[in-house]
């Protein structure tokens, strides 16, 4: 393929596969039962991307922020978790991230999403977190250090 053909190709859009952003927005709104803030990220990245903030009241207020995409074009996964972090940092290791991941897995299963992927899992502590919650490291070549959770057989 020539450079000219590459430049003229249209960028991938999830809508081109028949997926409707409005339907996915409604599905994500189901997470409001957890009193979340939902921020759809509207820039064209070839997937439906959402930033969802889960609040927690421990000894002080904390939040787990998750950035995920639905029907991302680079993988066969239905849900790709791109970022997940707890703030403030001092609240980490109190179980908030595990709770949020449980909520997301339950939500994904109820919405017939078959595969959830955590991408760019780099440090050993993060790898332990994903493994502890039923994720399996993708086989080589796995240049982005992804972990996957599949529902069903």
């Amino acid at each position: 393929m020539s450079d000219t053909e590459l430049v003229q190709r249209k960028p991938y859009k999830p809508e081109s596969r028949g997926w409707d952003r409005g339907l996915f927005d409604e599905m994500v709104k189901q997470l409001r039962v957890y009193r979340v803030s939902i921020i759809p990220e509207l820039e064209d990245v070839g997937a439906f991307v959402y930033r969802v903030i889960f609040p927690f009241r421990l000894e002080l207020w904390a939040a787990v922020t998750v950035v995920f995409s639905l029907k991302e074009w680079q993988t066969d996964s239905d849900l790709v978790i791109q970022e997940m972090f707890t703030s403030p940092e001092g609240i980490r290791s109190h179980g908030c991230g595990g709770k949020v991941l449980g909520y997301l897995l339950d939500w994904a299963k109820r919405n017939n999403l078959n595969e959830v992927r955590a991408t760019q899992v780099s440090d050993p502590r993060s790898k332990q977190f994903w493994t502890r919650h039923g994720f399996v490291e993708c086989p080589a070549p796995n240049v982005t250090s992804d972990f996957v959770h599949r529902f069903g057989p």
Side-chain angles (χ1 to χ4, degrees):
M1 185 176 292
S2 72
D3 289 342
T4 307
E5 288 175 306
L6 284 173
V7 171
Q8 292 177 350
R9 285 180 65 194
K10 292 183 180 178
Y12 171 83
K13 291 186 180 285
E15 294 88 344
S16 69
R17 296 185 75 180
W19 295 319
D20 176 11
R21 171 148 211 136
L23 292 175
F24 285 104
D25 286 351
E26 289 303 312
M27 187 168 71
V28 172
K29 285 179 186 176
Q30 295 170 13
L31 292 169
R32 286 186 176 159
V33 69
Y34 302 111
R35 298 177 179 225
V36 301
S37 298
I38 300 169
I39 305 161
E41 301 204 354
L42 301 176
E43 71 181 67
D44 186 11
V45 294
F48 301 121
V49 180
Y50 301 87
R51 179 176 300 270
V52 182
I53 303 167
F54 293 79
F56 285 89
R57 176 78 172 131
L58 301 171
E59 54 267 15
L60 54 99
W61 280 103
V64 176
T65 301
V66 182
V67 178
F68 63 82
S69 59
L70 293 167
K71 300 298 184 182
E72 197 224 31
W73 67 279
Q74 296 177 351
T75 71
D76 290 328
S77 300
D78 298 309
L79 171 66
V80 177
I81 299 172
Q82 300 166 350
E83 287 181 63
M84 183 171 170
F85 58 91
T86 302
S87 53
E89 248 183 82
I91 298 298
R92 292 183 184 162
S93 298
H94 283 77
C96 297
K99 273 188 181 173
V100 166
L101 186 55
Y103 299 156
L104 286 173
L105 291 174
D106 180 59
W107 169 80
K109 189 173 184 177
R110 282 186 285 114
N111 284 283
N112 299 313
L113 301 179
N114 297 315
E115 185 176 281
V116 178
R117 177 179 300 258
T119 190
Q120 300 181 7
V121 179
S122 55
D123 65 90
R125 192 168 165 203
S126 295
K127 290 180 179 189
Q128 289 175 350
F129 171 83
W130 294 104
T131 302
R132 189 170 57 247
H133 293 283
F135 283 69
V136 176
E137 190 166 6
C138 293
N142 184 12
V143 295
T144 55
S145 190
D146 291 359
F147 280 65
V148 173
H149 185 285
R150 291 184 180 91
F151 297 104

